[in-house]
Amino acid sequence: MSKTLFEKIWDWHVVATLKDGSVLLYIDRHLVHEVTSAQAFEGLRLAGRKVRRPKPNVRNNGPQYPDR
């Protein structure tokens, strides 16, 4: 049976399947959103971590409007 595009992309990015059924994925692109990225990068800083590969990060500077 053929796989969907989603299934193919998922399979290409699986690094490991853990004993509890969780899957470790390799993420090769990261969209940085101006609303929540400050908190995410602060969390990395507080944990003593760095961004492993900063070049594949894409930043969105557009205006943000609430849905309602």
Side-chain angles (χ1 to χ4, degrees):
M1 179 177 234
S2 63
K3 293 184 178 183
T4 65
L5 179 58
F6 175 84
E7 291 169 327
K8 290 177 184 179
I9 292 172
W10 182 274
D11 289 347
W12 292 333
H13 289 82
V14 171
V15 174
T17 302
L18 307 178
K19 291 179 183 179
D20 66 359
S22 300
V23 176
L24 177 63
L25 292 177
Y26 176 76
I27 305 300
D28 56 3
R29 294 285 184 269
H30 178 218
L31 176 61
V32 179
H33 189 277
E34 66 180 285
V35 174
T36 57
S37 14
Q39 295 90 336
F41 286 108
E42 178 67 3
L44 287 174
R45 187 186 71 75
L46 292 172
R49 298 180 182 148
K50 295 182 179 182
V51 176
R52 182 173 169 261
R53 295 176 54 227
K55 287 196 176 199
N57 291 290
V58 179
R59 183 175 169 193
N60 175 11
N61 285 340
Q64 304 302 320
Y65 301 100
D67 292 340
R68 297 177 186 210

